[in-house]
Amino acid sequence: MSNIKALPLLEPEVPEGVAPCCPPLTERPLTAEEAERTAAMFKALGDPVRLRLFSLVASHEGGEACVCDISDVGVSQPTVSHHLKKLKEAGLLSSERRGTWVYYRVEPSVMAAMGQMLTAAAPAA
Amino acid sequence: MSNIKALPLLEPEVPEGVAPCCPPLTERPLTAEEAERTAAMFKALGDPVRLRLFSLVASHEGGEACVCDISDVGVSQPTVSHHLKKLKEAGLLSSERRGTWVYYRVEPSVMAAMGQMLTAAAPAA
DNA sequence: CGTCAACATAGACATTTATCTAAATAAGAG
DNA sequence: CTCTTATTTAGATAAATGTCTATGTTGACG
């Protein structure tokens, strides 16, 4: 009980730019507040149309796409806009207007944080 | 064009027991069918109560927990059962009855596959 | 200013979902 | 077989959600 404050190396698996969200799901039970915030992010990816839109943005050249590039997912244009807004509210996308077009891009740290809650958790068995 | 079949090393970042689900979200746009299947998994973790239950199972000693161990999340016991069923239908949990109790455990390959869709995707910017 | 194009907002509507209570099933103890 | 405990199923209900059409907003271009 002498080196409590000294060593911040206890979680070495987390890369640099990862948002400080929550521990891996296997580490300890999430609190109610943690679950509330984190579930909101997973929920944002829990709709097929939104997941496709997200994938379209994430895989687009330059890491960003304007709405006109990704509007072909089988729903009306206002519905696309609605889903993009939800992804933005969840913190997964950010948007910027440049002239006539609005460009969306992924928020890499948030995605990485979500991924680590799952991958850093796997080999607990 | 001579070693097409020889080298399965083209996706070296995917560990062994990972379920063959979908590519990283940054690799290419998901098809409608892929999005449908994958969104169902993310959706399962998109509810605060379910996420807590999942975390409780995942972090429990031995990688499994009986329902009686994890029923304290603020909702009624039938609601807990309902959510566990959903997690099971999504492929994230499996269950086994042993005597009086039913034990739930995480499906590591599915979790890893979900994690990789996010983490293998991050540094595309 | 007027018009067109890209995108967002508002409101309506049908479906899904999370939750509860009540009842059913499963298994061990006496 | 009966009683008790653990868990699931059934049915009801209020709230959330995804989608649409119609309309508003913003910026570029004559």
Side-chain angles (χ1 to χ4, degrees):
Chain A
M1 282 216 249
S2 57
N3 52 356
I4 292 179
K5 284 171 55 185
L7 297 169
L9 302 174
L10 292 172
E11 296 164 1
E13 321 204 351
V14 177
E16 308 168 15
V18 171
C21 166
C22 294
L25 291 175
T26 54
E27 191 174 301
R28 59 163 173 77
L30 259 50
T31 68
E33 291 79 20
E34 286 171 340
E36 202 82 34
R37 287 187 296 134
T38 309
M41 304 191 223
F42 283 115
K43 185 186 219 168
L45 297 183
D47 177 85
V49 173
R50 266 194 312 262
L51 188 59
R52 276 186 88 187
L53 288 171
F54 185 83
S55 174
L56 277 161
V57 172
S59 65
H60 204 263
E61 145 189 54
E64 70 175 11
C66 101
V67 181
C68 56
D69 289 326
I70 59 176
S71 294
D72 218 20
V73 289
V75 294
S76 72
Q77 184 271 323
T79 300
V80 169
S81 193
H82 170 247
H83 282 309
L84 289 173
K85 186 181 184 181
K86 287 247 176 162
L87 286 166
K88 208 172 139 186
E89 288 170 351
L92 296 176
L93 293 180
S94 58
S95 71
E96 181 196 357
R97 172 157 224 148
R98 288 207 291 277
T100 306
W101 295 280
V102 175
Y103 290 86
Y104 281 81
R105 58 169 50 246
V106 307
E107 212 60 58
S109 68
V110 178
M111 241 178 44
M114 290 175 71
Q116 296 214 344
M117 294 185 68
L118 298 167
T119 50
Chain B
M1 283 217 252
S2 58
N3 53 357
I4 293 179
K5 286 169 55 187
L7 296 169
L9 303 173
L10 292 171
E11 296 166 359
E13 321 207 351
V14 177
E16 307 166 17
V18 171
C21 166
C22 294
L25 291 175
T26 54
E27 191 175 301
R28 59 164 175 77
L30 259 49
T31 68
E33 291 77 20
E34 287 171 339
E36 202 83 34
R37 287 187 298 132
T38 309
M41 303 192 227
F42 282 115
K43 186 186 217 168
L45 296 183
D47 177 85
V49 172
R50 272 199 301 270
L51 189 59
R52 276 185 89 187
L53 288 171
F54 185 83
S55 174
L56 276 161
V57 172
S59 65
H60 203 263
E61 144 190 54
E64 69 175 11
C66 106
V67 181
C68 57
D69 290 325
I70 58 175
S71 294
D72 217 21
V73 289
V75 294
S76 73
Q77 194 275 326
T79 300
V80 169
S81 192
H82 170 249
H83 282 308
L84 289 172
K85 187 182 185 181
K86 289 247 175 162
L87 286 165
K88 207 173 142 185
E89 287 169 352
L92 296 176
L93 292 180
S94 58
S95 70
E96 182 196 358
R97 172 154 225 148
R98 288 207 293 275
T100 306
W101 295 281
V102 176
Y103 290 85
Y104 282 81
R105 59 170 50 244
V106 307
E107 212 60 58
S109 68
V110 178
M111 240 178 46
M114 292 175 70
Q116 298 214 342
M117 294 184 68
L118 299 167
T119 50

